[in-house]
Amino acid sequence: MRITEGEGLDNSAVAWLNPEDLTVSINVEELAAIADKSEPTGFLTRYGMDNVMANVRVVTSGAAHNRDQDTKPPRLTSLQQRRSPLADPRQQIATLAALNLGTTATQGKFSQALANHGWASLTPAPLEIFQINVGKLCNMTCRHCHVDAGPDRKEVMSWETIQACLRALDQTAAHTVDITGGAPELNPHFRFLVDQCVDRGKQVIDRCNLTVLLLPGLEDLPTWLAARGVEIVCSLPHHRPRSTDAQRGDGTFAKSIEALRRLNTVGYGQGNSRQRLTLVSNPVGAFLSGNQGAMEREWQVSLQQHHGVSFDRLITLNNMPISRYLEWLEQSGNLQAYMERLVNAFNPGTVAGLMCRHTLSVSWDGRLFDCDFNQMLDLEMQLPQEPRPHIQDFDPSLLMQRQIVTQRHCFGCTAGSGSSCGGAIAS
């Protein structure tokens, strides 16, 4: 296959190609011409030639000729359901550790990258965000999911653990409670938890996949959340259907737009600080996230013009090389290059603002972690004299005494403009 000017090019067109079909190289100048003509705002300007060429290394001669039919990913189940070796976090860590990153500046050693810029170790800052993962159950199975969430996952936070979280929250000065999953709304105690946190005067974030708002029995959630001033942070990888559906499943974009319209109807996305609507975008491919400010403006214009929906802000995240995204990196032959890209893009200006420094992450079963990504890799928080810290035994005085646990995946948060649950870290 030869990409022609009439076809155009976007990141979704190459993100999920079958690596067995990849055969022919493409000319750099031709690619630049195609991409800039097909993207009114300039694809190469947003993502950079290095990122584009890293992702579009080759084009295909057969199976990818019809992009709309042949580049759609198959229906997924969780790694756990498929009994994939990568369902074991130890295997994920070992896979990253086995990569030869000797040609990078720090040989792939995150501790060395920190030390080169004056950080003998990564230490915590005062706690600001109390993040609670209420379970891995989800109505979706997304290709990039670092949680390996899905309908087949049965891990759900219990009533007793939620009560322990609230007792621990009362011992901290955290101003924000970040409720995540899975689809947190599917936890039977979700509304109780939200009400309890709102009653305590906390800012509450619901990390929502949007489509869950359309499920029977949950249609009232937009109104219910709006009445409590809950910020909704929701995933929308791209403002065009093909790119979003490539990552999150066929028909997801249309359902997401319908959910956004319902949120707009009850006041979300209209500039009201009590009904703040935040979209989350992460790349549909093996490259770093684009410029957050430029992408926000592009998303706002496109979603308003084509779908009549609005939102308040956009945050951009790098994909973490763990779980199902790690599986895709391996299968597509992008793992080595992607990790080299993360390591070489280390930005010391992101370190002070890393979410692990000011966040406490609680897993569905009550264990404590420095961040959500460490949680998914079973890298538990290391507290003095607490080998396996649990929310039932929470002691806030120990938090500032710990050193944050790091591994190679941490380069995902320090690459480029950085990446955290709040989006880009450095301008």
Side-chain angles (χ1 to χ4, degrees):
M1 169 187 157
R2 179 183 179 86
I3 297 178
T4 66
E5 181 177 325
E7 286 183 286
L9 176 70
D10 66 16
N11 49 337
S12 68
V14 296
W16 309 117
L17 293 176
N18 184 344
E20 295 179 357
D21 295 325
L22 304 180
T23 55
V24 185
S25 298
I26 187 170
N27 179 274
V28 175
E29 291 76 18
E30 183 181 16
L31 173 64
I34 295 168
D36 278 339
K37 288 180 180 179
S38 65
E39 288 278 351
T41 55
F43 181 80
L44 299 182
T45 301
R46 292 202 315 280
Y47 296 112
M49 176 61 77
D50 290 342
N51 282 334
V52 174
M53 289 313 298
N55 197 42
V56 190
R57 292 174 290 116
V58 285
V59 294
T60 71
S61 56
H65 182 71
N66 188 331
R67 293 185 312 184
D68 288 336
Q69 294 182 10
D70 295 335
T71 64
K72 291 178 181 178
R75 183 178 297 277
L76 288 178
T77 57
S78 69
L79 297 173
Q80 184 184 76
Q81 176 77 4
R82 288 181 275 126
R83 298 184 179 180
S84 166
L86 288 177
D88 185 343
R90 294 170 297 183
Q91 182 63 35
Q92 297 179 44
I93 294 171
T95 298
L96 295 181
L99 294 174
N100 181 0
L101 299 177
T103 61
T104 63
T106 59
Q107 292 74 52
K109 298 177 181 177
F110 191 74
S111 59
Q112 186 61 55
L114 292 174
N116 288 351
H117 297 280
W119 292 82
S121 63
L122 195 57
T123 53
L127 181 64
E128 298 179 11
I129 300 173
F130 199 104
Q131 186 177 68
I132 306 173
N133 187 307
V134 296
K136 298 186 179 183
L137 176 64
C138 188
N139 61 307
M140 301 182 67
T141 311
C142 298
R143 184 167 292 270
H144 69 297
C145 181
H146 72 279
V147 180
D148 195 30
D152 56 87
R153 300 305 297 264
K154 307 305 179 187
E155 301 93 330
V156 174
M157 182 174 281
S158 68
W159 172 264
E160 292 76 18
T161 303
I162 284 179
Q163 292 284 1
C165 287
L166 293 171
R167 290 193 298 270
L169 177 63
D170 290 340
Q171 299 177 60
T172 76
H175 54 69
T176 298
V177 177
D178 186 341
I179 307 175
T180 185
E185 304 86 354
L186 297 181
N187 185 298
H189 313 301
F190 170 76
R191 298 192 193 215
F192 169 80
L193 177 59
V194 169
D195 275 336
Q196 289 295 310
C197 294
V198 169
D199 289 347
R200 285 165 166 79
K202 306 297 183 181
Q203 177 190 358
V204 178
I205 293 174
D206 173 25
R207 293 198 178 265
C208 179
N209 67 26
L210 286 176
T211 66
V212 73
L213 302 178
L214 307 182
L215 294 180
L218 299 181
E219 300 97 332
D220 69 316
L221 265 178
T223 300
W224 190 89
L225 292 167
R228 288 154 179 78
V230 175
E231 178 180 359
I232 298 181
V233 177
C234 45
S235 178
L236 191 72
H238 204 273
H239 57 79
R240 289 184 297 183
R242 185 170 57 202
S243 297
T244 291
D245 288 358
Q247 188 180 93
R248 305 187 69 213
D250 291 346
T252 296
F253 184 83
K255 293 177 183 178
S256 298
I257 292 298
E258 173 58 27
L260 288 171
R261 290 188 177 121
R262 296 186 187 188
L263 290 169
N264 283 172
T265 298
V266 299
Y268 278 102
Q270 311 297 323
N272 185 341
S273 61
R274 275 190 51 80
Q275 283 92 39
R276 185 155 74 162
L277 179 59
T278 299
L279 299 188
V280 180
S281 171
N282 50 287
V284 187
F287 45 88
L288 303 184
S289 183
N291 180 276
Q292 184 167 286
M295 291 175 65
E296 179 178 278
R297 291 187 291 272
E298 180 182 351
W299 260 241
Q300 286 174 331
V301 170
S302 179
L303 290 176
Q304 182 59 241
Q305 285 184 350
H306 298 295
H307 306 286
V309 297
S310 59
F311 63 94
D312 295 306
R313 64 173 183 144
L314 177 98
I315 60 178
T316 56
L317 306 178
N318 292 329
N319 285 314
M320 296 298 292
I322 64 176
S323 195
R324 290 206 288 263
Y325 184 67
L326 174 59
E327 178 185 51
W328 177 79
L329 287 172
E330 278 199 307
Q331 292 177 345
S332 63
N334 280 297
L335 179 56
Q336 179 74 32
Y338 186 68
M339 281 305 302
E340 290 177 356
R341 187 168 306 114
L342 293 182
V343 175
N344 289 330
F346 178 83
N347 181 354
T350 65
V351 177
L354 290 174
M355 63 180 176
C356 55
R357 300 194 63 234
H358 54 76
T359 299
L360 170 68
S361 179
V362 186
S363 68
W364 70 272
D365 56 358
R367 291 179 295 148
L368 305 185
F369 298 84
D370 296 307
C371 73
D372 191 47
F373 303 124
N374 279 7
Q375 181 184 143
M376 299 312 147
L377 291 174
D378 267 347
L379 297 172
E380 295 176 321
M381 183 180 286
Q382 300 298 301
L383 297 180
Q385 302 177 342
E386 289 283 349
R388 301 199 68 188
H390 194 276
I391 198 66
Q392 296 280 7
D393 309 309
F394 183 70
D395 182 350
S397 67
L398 299 179
L399 291 181
M400 294 298 291
Q401 300 179 40
R402 77 189 197 275
Q403 291 187 357
I404 294 168
V405 179
T406 61
Q407 294 276 4
R408 275 185 167 176
H409 68 285
C410 298
F411 281 108
C413 288
T414 56
S417 297
S419 183
S420 75
C421 286
I425 301 171
S427 58

